[in-house]
């Protein structure tokens, strides 16, 4: 586990290879709150906490952010050299005594992440405080449990259709079909043909608001059901 040079609170690795917040040596005199925690593949580090004079929007947010985002709000974040590689869930900044809550929320956020590969497309970094009500899904789909019917339909359809996961993610997370086609570098007519085939495999429409929402939820639950 890598430790940053300066942190608001110290952490110690647990036996499973992760980490848990350790008890501070003394009262925090000049730092009334601690940075949020990050849950990742065997790492736990304090998240960067901007001060009032340094506050700035996260990458991919703010007035210049791409408006084409999924209903779930899970936007692929640009690479950040301050973050470790791989999937990462980031908890909120909290007072020191609430670090266990930040750790728990970081672990929940981690479940919403994806590998970012063609077969597991999606955001590699998810901030817990951006999930909103979508976080409730984590309590409905347990890791390693029997996937919901729509997730089973996705898995069955993707088994013999390699392009399906990336195509469906592009459709679910883009503001238009043309933007989705550009995102995966295919012609608009090619995307239309793929969607027709995907609708046949899945059994529900993908070009209606209801069908797109159903797709977004299915893709999210697919990540949550991962063991």
């Amino acid at each position: 586990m890598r430790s940053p040079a300066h942190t608001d609170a110290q952490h110690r690795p647990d036996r499973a290879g992760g980490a848990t917040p350790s008890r501070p040596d003394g009262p925090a005199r000049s730092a009334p709150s601690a940075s949020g925690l990050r849950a990742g593949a065997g790492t736990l580090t304090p998240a960067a906490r901007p001060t009032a004079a340094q506050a700035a929007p996260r990458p991919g947010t703010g007035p210049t952010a791409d408006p084409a985002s999924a209903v779930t709000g899970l936007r692929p974040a640009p690479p950040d050299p301050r973050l470790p590689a791989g999937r990462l869930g980031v908890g909120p900044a909290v007072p020191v005594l609430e670090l266990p809550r930040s750790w728990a929320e970081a672990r929940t956020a981690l479940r919403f992440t994806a590998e970012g590969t063609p077969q597991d497309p999606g955001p590699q970094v998810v901030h817990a405080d951006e999930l909103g009500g979508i976080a409730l899904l984590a309590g409905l789909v347990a890791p390693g449990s029997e996937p919901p019917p729509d997730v089973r339909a996705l898995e069955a359809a993707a088994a013999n259709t390699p392009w399906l996961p990336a195509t469906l993610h592009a459709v679910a997370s883009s503001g238009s079909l043309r933007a989705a086609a550009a995102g995966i570098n295919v012609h608009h007519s090619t995307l239309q043909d793929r969607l027709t085939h995907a609708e046949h495999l899945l059994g529900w429409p993908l070009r209606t608001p209801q069908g797109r929402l159903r797709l977004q939820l299915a893709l999210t639950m697919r990540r949550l059901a991962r063991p």
Side-chain angles (χ1 to χ4, degrees):
M1 179 182 73
R2 295 179 297 176
S3 299
H6 300 285
T7 64
D8 291 331
Q10 297 296 321
H11 305 87
R12 63 176 185 275
D14 61 19
R15 296 183 180 179
T20 57
S22 64
R23 186 173 303 173
D25 296 333
R29 297 177 181 176
S30 60
S33 63
S35 55
L37 301 183
R38 294 172 180 154
T43 64
L44 173 63
T45 59
R49 181 191 60 193
T51 64
Q54 300 171 326
R58 291 194 181 104
T61 65
T64 59
D66 183 359
S69 61
V71 165
T72 58
L74 305 183
R75 300 180 301 277
D80 188 334
R82 298 171 301 175
L83 301 180
R87 297 165 45 225
L88 193 69
V90 183
V94 296
V96 172
L97 294 180
E98 295 183 28
L99 282 177
R101 175 174 67 84
S102 181
W103 168 237
E105 293 187 25
R107 294 185 64 185
T108 296
L110 179 63
R111 295 183 56 203
F112 286 86
T113 62
E115 297 292 344
T117 64
Q119 292 306 309
D120 187 22
Q124 290 183 286
V125 179
V126 171
H127 294 264
D129 54 9
E130 293 182 351
L131 287 172
I134 298 298
L136 296 175
L137 288 175
L140 301 177
V141 182
S145 63
E146 179 69 16
D150 283 356
V151 176
R152 294 199 299 270
L154 278 175
E155 297 291 1
N160 297 311
T161 315
W163 50 260
L164 189 75
T167 298
L168 294 183
H169 172 72
V171 170
S173 60
S174 300
S176 68
L177 293 184
R178 290 194 178 276
I184 55 176
N185 198 30
V186 300
H187 193 273
H188 181 257
S189 61
T190 300
L191 178 62
Q192 293 285 1
D193 291 341
R194 288 186 177 186
L195 287 181
T196 298
H197 185 55
E199 289 172 338
H200 174 72
L201 293 175
L202 296 175
W204 75 80
L206 300 174
R207 285 166 275 201
T208 65
Q210 296 85 354
R212 188 179 177 194
L213 175 60
R214 184 175 176 179
L215 173 62
Q216 291 166 342
L217 291 174
L219 291 172
T220 300
M221 290 188 294
R222 181 183 185 227
R223 294 191 283 270
L224 291 174
R226 176 173 35 207

